[in-house]
Amino acid sequence: IHKNICCDPVLNEVIRKDILERLRKVIHDLDDESRWLIELHYYEERSLTATAEFFGISKQALSKRHAQLLKKMRKSMET
């Protein structure tokens, strides 16, 4: 994703906006539970422990879900 960043600030801004737009689309296309995980952990800045408690699962289970979700999102961002 960051391979195209260069010294031109205008081009960097265009690339940044493109990346953010693709990320918004990827998040929008997630199922509700995955979207909530992203919302709680990244936007509300809750710890994985607090997020796991919200879902009623162990931190270990949430960590696994989180890792799988990030992998899925990275793959979606590359296409």
Side-chain angles (χ1 to χ4, degrees), residues 56-68:
I57 60 176
S58 71
K59 181 182 176 187
Q60 182 180 9
L62 183 81
S63 292
K64 183 177 180 180
R65 208 179 277 184
H66 178 252
Q68 291 170 338

Side-chain angles (χ1 to χ4, degrees), residues 21-62:
E21 185 56 38
R22 286 189 287 149
L23 181 58
R24 283 186 192 102
K25 182 181 179 340
V26 166
I27 292 171
H28 178 267
D29 291 345
L30 294 173
D31 60 84
D32 290 341
E33 188 172 292
S34 296
R35 220 175 11 260
W36 267 107
L37 193 160
I38 296 297
E39 174 75 27
L40 294 171
H41 186 61
Y42 292 99
Y43 293 101
E44 294 186 18
E45 299 180 354
R46 291 192 191 188
S47 67
L48 286 178
T49 301
T51 304
E53 288 173 3
F54 175 86
F55 285 109
I57 60 176
S58 71
K59 181 182 176 187
Q60 182 180 9
L62 183 81

Side-chain angles (χ1 to χ4, degrees), residues 1-5 15 18-19 22 73-74 77-78:
I1 293 174
H2 301 289
K3 296 173 191 168
N4 298 325
I5 294 180
I15 292 169
D18 177 63
I19 291 169
R22 286 189 287 149
M73 290 174 68
R74 277 189 204 100
M77 290 286 294
E78 292 173 357

